[in-house]
């Protein structure tokens, strides 16, 4: 078993590292190395701590930096990732969450936006679609539905309107 002279600083008396590689990865400051990407020196400067979700640190960096709007990072990340169209950062900013039905988001958006009147969007959409003439959004705004016989709707309408007597 590998037992470094200063093993108590990072490992304590319960479980020493089993190899020099394990020591260097878990306690790089003892080896004179900077912390690996996704971690920073702790307050006492003798061990590395992982960055929290929504933050990142490059190798050797002293502080974790918050991701920009529309970006996410899992705990211990060395960089942030941009959420693609149709998704936005989850509340804890550790992952991207899909936009709900009737909403959309462009790449790198902070929030999902509601579609306009007469528009629809499936879950995870990057844009809304306008309902064609003769159709309107269903109540959950996931798709367009044809108007019933004897009714009509111009393109982008929210409701079907009855035809006048004698109109088809």
């Amino acid at each position: 078993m590998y037992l470094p002279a200063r093993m108590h600083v990072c490992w304590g008396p319960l479980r020493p590292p089993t190899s020099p590689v394990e020591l260097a990865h878990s306690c790089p400051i003892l080896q004179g190395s900077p912390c690996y990407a996704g971690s920073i020196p702790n307050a006492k400067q003798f061990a590395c701590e992982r960055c929290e979700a929504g933050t990142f640190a490059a190798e050797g960096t002293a502080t974790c930096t918050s991701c920009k709007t529309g970006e996410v990072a899992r705990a211990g990340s060395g960089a942030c990732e941009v959420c693609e169209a149709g998704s936005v950062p989850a509340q804890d900013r550790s992952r991207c969450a899909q936009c709900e039905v009737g909403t959309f988001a462009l790449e790198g958006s902070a929030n999902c936006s509601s579609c306009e009147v007469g528009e629809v969007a499936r879950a995870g959409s990057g844009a809304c679609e306008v309902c064609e003439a003769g159709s309107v959004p269903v109540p959950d705004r996931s798709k367009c539905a044809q108007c019933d016989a004897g009714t009509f709707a111009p393109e982008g309408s929210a409701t079907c309107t009855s035809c006048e007597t004698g109109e088809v």
Side-chain angles (χ1 to χ4, degrees):
M1 181 185 299
Y2 176 74
L3 295 174
R6 295 170 47 185
M7 73 97 188
H8 67 282
V9 177
C10 288
W11 291 88
L14 299 178
R15 185 189 153 297
T18 58
S19 72
V21 172
E22 187 178 4
L23 174 67
H25 180 72
S26 300
C27 193
I29 294 174
L30 285 182
Q31 302 296 315
S33 301
C35 292
Y36 51 89
S39 65
I40 59 170
N42 70 0
K44 295 183 180 179
Q45 302 288 313
F46 61 71
C48 296
E49 295 178 344
R50 287 176 24 161
C51 292
E52 295 180 8
T55 65
F56 73 99
E59 185 173 335
T61 306
T63 59
C64 295
T65 303
S66 292
C67 295
K68 295 177 185 173
T69 300
E71 295 181 341
V72 296
R74 287 187 164 84
S77 292
C80 296
E81 296 177 13
V82 176
C83 290
E84 59 187 45
S87 64
V88 296
Q91 188 171 359
D92 69 358
R93 300 194 64 191
S94 67
R95 62 181 177 80
C96 296
Q98 192 176 58
C99 291
E100 296 180 9
V101 167
T103 65
F104 74 100
L106 301 176
E107 181 179 293
S109 293
N111 299 300
C112 297
S113 300
S114 293
C115 294
E116 297 291 326
V117 172
E119 295 180 340
V120 296
R122 290 189 171 96
S125 292
C128 296
E129 296 177 22
V130 177
C131 289
E132 296 177 356
S135 66
V136 294
V138 297
D140 73 358
R141 299 179 78 171
S142 63
K143 63 183 180 177
C144 300
Q146 293 296 317
C147 292
D148 292 332
T151 64
F152 73 98
E155 182 179 279
S157 263
T159 58
C160 296
T161 304
S162 295
C163 297
E164 296 290 325
T165 304
E167 294 181 335
V168 190

